[in-house]
Amino acid sequence: LAVNSADRSTRSMHGRALRQVGVIQADLGNHPEANRASRKSIAIFEDLVAESDAPSDHLGLAESHLSLAENLKLENRLAEARDQSEIALELARQLVDKFPNSTQIKVVECNCYESLGTTLGGMGKLPEAEEALRKVIAIRGQLPSKLQSPKRLAAAYHNLGTVLLQSGKYEDAESLLVRAIEIQEPIVKTNPEFQIPREFLAKHYSQLAKVFKNSDRNERSVDYYNESIEHLEKLVSDYPRIPTFRFNLARSYLNLGTLQSELGIPRQAVSSFDQSIEHLALLDEGFEDTYRFCDSLAQAYTEIARVLAVSFSDYEGSAQCLGKAIELQKSLVREFPSESPHRTNLANLYNNL
């Protein structure tokens, strides 16, 4: 209908539908398809904006840039994601200036700050990330009660807590993550059929585990990693075709194994690394995020190689794991030549071998 129609509402509907297709494809790990859908949505709204100054079209354009930013962030294309978030935020700010009483526009502005803040955090620009994420919490606190979303507020606490964790502000990070858990747990208990609150609850526990690990409270850290794993195991069992749940489970086992190794319990560490590798292997054909897949699998083989050599003197097994990690790092160097850490990692692996 949209292709053959000059009707603005039909074309706008087409743009929104494409944006949602992008969101779904990204959730499935199909990033090229997600980006194509988001860029088509942007093109439609750019044409609409060029024809008319309708606020709804400007808002649609901002949301489509925001959707593309989120897709790019999942691919670890952070500089591009930041640029798209900034475009979306500028569009949203212009609308807020024109329509300061529009709560719908303020919600989009808030989402833009959230996307920008999390991307900046991933890029290591922590003061800028903290500033953006504090604005998210401030804006959400000003929204009318009917637009207050406990899930989004918990996500805001989580995101700011994560940046404060990276900044070494452990006490503040702990407080925010605990608050996020307090908000999210009743939602999960009341609505166990909803996937997203369950996924975020697992993420809250995983980040809280990192806070406790970094502040030398390792036993509590193990407990929180296990809480995260318990929630993710249930999600993988209930939704085996959603690859991000299995990937997050593999990452939690990897983090737990690393901590167990540091605590001097190598057999448990090896078991956790094996679980991580097993879940990552199940993603091999269905997970299109090559960067995160290869990077995580290489980390798992590197860690298990170290434990086998140091704790069990199993040098043959360690060498085999190092060989697998080397092949994975080689593929990362080939596919992502601008990412210098992989060259350093590859050199270190050869040195260890």
Side-chain angles (χ1 to χ4, degrees), residues 161-330:
T162 297
V163 167
L164 294 177
L165 163 62
Q166 293 173 276
S167 302
K169 301 175 182 179
Y170 300 131
E171 186 175 343
D172 291 340
E174 179 184 344
S175 175
L176 286 164
L177 291 165
V178 168
R179 183 72 186 110
I181 290 169
E182 290 172 347
I183 294 171
Q184 207 76 261
E185 278 191 327
I187 298 172
V188 170
K189 288 178 181 178
T190 307
N191 305 284
E193 71 279 10
F194 291 167
Q195 302 169 21
I196 293 176
R198 293 168 62 186
E199 180 185 16
F200 267 100
L201 183 57
K203 288 181 179 179
H204 301 334
Y205 275 117
S206 181
Q207 290 300 90
L208 191 57
K210 293 175 186 177
V211 170
F212 276 80
K213 177 179 182 295
N214 288 0
S215 53
D216 297 322
R217 292 174 286 173
N218 290 329
E219 291 185 4
R220 292 287 301 279
S221 181
V222 169
D223 292 339
Y224 287 129
Y225 273 129
N226 282 323
E227 284 276 3
S228 176
I229 286 168
E230 181 180 346
H231 287 288
L232 287 167
E233 289 277 16
K234 291 176 182 176
L235 277 169
V236 168
S237 176
D238 292 344
Y239 306 100
R241 295 185 64 187
I242 298 182
T244 50
F245 295 160
R246 192 178 295 278
F247 177 79
N248 290 338
L249 176 60
R251 288 293 311 184
S252 288
Y253 272 120
L254 176 56
N255 291 333
L256 176 61
T258 303
L259 178 57
Q260 290 167 330
S261 175
E262 292 174 6
L263 289 172
I265 43 179
R267 293 191 186 281
Q268 293 182 36
V270 169
S271 176
S272 294
F273 292 139
D274 282 340
Q275 288 278 5
S276 179
I277 291 167
E278 180 182 329
H279 284 290
L280 287 168
L282 291 171
L283 287 172
D284 197 5
E285 295 181 0
F287 193 60
E288 294 191 8
D289 193 337
T290 305
Y291 184 94
R292 291 197 298 164
F293 169 77
C294 291
D295 186 55
S296 297
L297 193 54
Q299 286 183 48
Y301 278 123
T302 302
E303 289 294 332
I304 201 169
R306 185 176 58 80
V307 174
L308 290 174
V310 173
S311 298
F312 300 104
S313 300
D314 181 0
Y315 301 114
E316 182 178 352
S318 179
Q320 290 175 353
C321 290
L322 285 171
K324 292 177 180 177
I326 285 170
E327 291 306 311
L328 289 160
Q329 288 292 351
K330 280 182 178 179

Side-chain angles (χ1 to χ4, degrees), residues 109-142:
E109 180 194 27
C110 185
N111 294 341
C112 292
Y113 274 118
E114 187 170 53
S115 178
L116 180 61
T118 53
T119 301
L120 290 169
M123 297 175 74
K125 299 181 182 296
L126 302 180
E128 298 94 328
E130 182 178 342
E131 181 183 359
L133 293 171
R134 288 196 183 279
K135 286 180 179 177
V136 173
I137 293 174
I139 294 171
R140 292 209 180 281
Q142 295 169 1

Side-chain angles (χ1 to χ4, degrees), residues 13-194:
M13 190 184 303
H14 186 206
R16 292 196 301 273
L18 281 166
R19 185 167 65 237
Q20 287 303 111
V21 168
V23 171
I24 294 167
Q25 292 283 18
D27 284 344
L28 292 171
N30 301 329
H31 298 300
E33 291 85 349
N35 293 339
R36 277 194 290 272
S38 294
R39 290 188 190 279
K40 286 180 181 178
S41 178
I42 288 171
I44 288 171
F45 281 109
E46 283 179 336
D47 288 343
L48 289 168
V49 166
E51 296 169 11
S52 169
D53 202 30
S56 60
D57 294 332
H58 285 267
L59 193 62
L61 181 57
E63 290 180 300
S64 295
H65 278 290
L66 182 59
S67 180
L68 179 57
E70 290 297 295
N71 297 343
L72 293 167
K73 184 166 57 178
L74 289 173
E75 290 186 277
N76 206 46
R77 296 162 63 179
L78 298 181
E80 295 172 77
R82 176 201 57 202
D83 293 345
Q84 291 297 321
S85 294
E86 288 178 343
I87 292 170
L89 180 57
E90 181 57 29
L91 288 164
R93 280 173 172 169
Q94 290 172 6
L95 287 168
V96 168
D97 289 341
K98 290 181 180 179
F99 307 98
N101 296 322
S102 171
T103 54
Q104 181 185 6
I105 293 171
K106 286 182 180 178
V107 167
V108 174
E109 180 194 27
C110 185
N111 294 341
C112 292
Y113 274 118
E114 187 170 53
S115 178
L116 180 61
T118 53
T119 301
L120 290 169
M123 297 175 74
K125 299 181 182 296
L126 302 180
E128 298 94 328
E130 182 178 342
E131 181 183 359
L133 293 171
R134 288 196 183 279
K135 286 180 179 177
V136 173
I137 293 174
I139 294 171
R140 292 209 180 281
Q142 295 169 1
L143 294 174
S145 57
K146 64 179 181 180
L147 289 178
Q148 292 286 354
S149 169
K151 290 182 289 187
R152 297 305 296 263
L153 184 58
Y157 286 135
H158 174 94
N159 292 331
L160 181 55
T162 297
V163 167
L164 294 177
L165 163 62
Q166 293 173 276
S167 302
K169 301 175 182 179
Y170 300 131
E171 186 175 343
D172 291 340
E174 179 184 344
S175 175
L176 286 164
L177 291 165
V178 168
R179 183 72 186 110
I181 290 169
E182 290 172 347
I183 294 171
Q184 207 76 261
E185 278 191 327
I187 298 172
V188 170
K189 288 178 181 178
T190 307
N191 305 284
E193 71 279 10
F194 291 167

